[in-house]
Amino acid sequence: MTRREELEANLTRVRARIEAARAAAGRQDQVDLVVVTKFFPAADVRLLAELGVRRVGENRHQEAEAKAAECADLDLVWHYIGGLQSNKAAAVAGYAGVVESLDRLKLVRGLDRGAAERGTPLEVLVQVSLDPPGAGHRAGAEPDDVPALAEAVEASEHLRLRGLMAVAPLGEDPAAAFARLAEVRARLVQDHPHADRLSAGMSGDLDEAVAAGATHVRVGSAILGSRPAVR
Ligand SMILES: *Cc1c(COP(=O)(O)O)cnc(C)c1O
């Protein structure tokens, strides 16, 4: 099997999973696939684009910036899904079409400046933590901090608030975590009706995420294969 055939077969399987979950949930709306290409080369991104992928996700600034430059001729939207440093935020806005990992106020100004320099509005999702309060959590704003972050994005000329992103905590039933996420989303949409996107679900839990209303799933290993353990 060539790499292209492998990616095509995996994409077909993942798209069928998304479709089955969407149908089972009785949803009429669309669920978009963001293929997470971190650790994999630009050559894979190119094959994915040929296979109809339009959204790709990356979680490290240097790697993402280099790959986006190598693939500048392709019609792709880059989703930045990783931890952000405030001194890199403006640079991320230089290539990302969507930043999914805004989790603190400090990042807003840099993202806005980067989007202004690029001359294109930047779509932003607020990353919310689904870990129990007090847990040494991985990333994401506490649910109570989401309204202030949303206001700060709305107040930024070059940013467009589009919704929320979350990762289900390890060691918990993802359906329970995504149910909490759906509540946070319902509150956000009351104040910001256009911020109705929900990025949730990865290779292992996309089915539960779609059942809980995800409009974007972020899938890496189920399409590209397992990532190297260390880098
Ligand atoms: C790596 C990553 C993914 C994809 O994970 P897989 O389990 O490989 O599908 C999704 N979201 C985020 C935030 C990630 O860092």
Side-chain angles (χ1 to χ4, degrees):
M1 228 196 218
T2 64
R3 180 65 168 155
R4 186 193 163 97
E5 288 163 346
E6 183 186 354
L7 293 176
E8 186 169 29
N10 290 345
L11 267 175
T12 301
R13 247 192 310 271
V14 166
R15 286 184 175 135
R17 259 175 83 188
I18 295 170
E19 193 43 41
R22 202 182 61 81
R27 289 178 51 183
Q28 310 294 326
D29 58 332
Q30 186 180 321
V31 178
D32 286 330
L33 172 63
V34 179
V35 180
V36 179
T37 48
K38 65 191 186 196
F39 290 79
F40 289 94
D44 280 347
V45 177
R46 209 161 269 285
L47 290 173
L48 289 164
E50 286 172 22
L51 294 166
V53 169
R54 178 111 207 292
R55 299 178 181 276
V56 288
E58 289 283 336
N59 73 337
R60 292 162 191 255
H61 166 59
Q62 274 189 314
E63 179 181 346
E65 187 175 49
K67 248 181 256 179
E70 274 184 78
C71 298
D73 58 313
L74 303 176
D75 184 22
L76 291 171
V77 179
W78 294 82
H79 287 233
Y80 190 80
I81 62 173
L84 275 165
Q85 291 170 276
S86 43
N87 62 346
K88 297 281 164 57
V92 169
Y95 56 85
V98 186
V99 167
E100 301 200 5
S101 44
L102 175 73
D103 63 356
R104 52 194 197 284
L105 285 169
K106 245 187 114 175
L107 300 167
V108 172
R109 199 207 294 234
L111 290 174
D112 190 51
R113 182 163 50 81
E117 281 164 12
R118 188 179 174 189
T120 326
L122 174 66
E123 299 195 339
V124 173
L125 305 183
V126 173
Q127 184 176 357
V128 57
S129 168
L130 300 177
D131 298 276
H137 65 77
R138 294 193 282 178
E142 292 298 331
D144 286 348
D145 295 334
V146 168
L149 281 165
E151 288 303 333
V153 174
E154 293 278 35
S156 302
E157 190 180 348
H158 306 280
L159 303 183
R160 301 286 178 267
L161 179 72
R162 297 311 308 262
L164 295 175
M165 183 271 255
V167 178
L170 296 168
E172 188 195 353
D173 171 17
F178 292 143
R180 293 199 298 282
L181 177 61
E183 288 172 23
V184 180
R185 180 205 202 181
R187 287 198 296 274
L188 178 71
V189 171
Q190 268 178 9
D191 296 335
H192 307 276
H194 54 280
D196 58 353
R197 294 205 207 159
L198 185 62
S199 171
M202 323 200 313
S203 295
D205 57 18
L206 72 89
D207 321 83
E208 289 89 345
V210 170
T215 61
H216 288 72
V217 294
R218 309 175 306 272
V219 182
S221 50
I223 292 169
L224 288 135
S226 39
R227 292 180 284 273
V230 201
R231 191 180 56 170

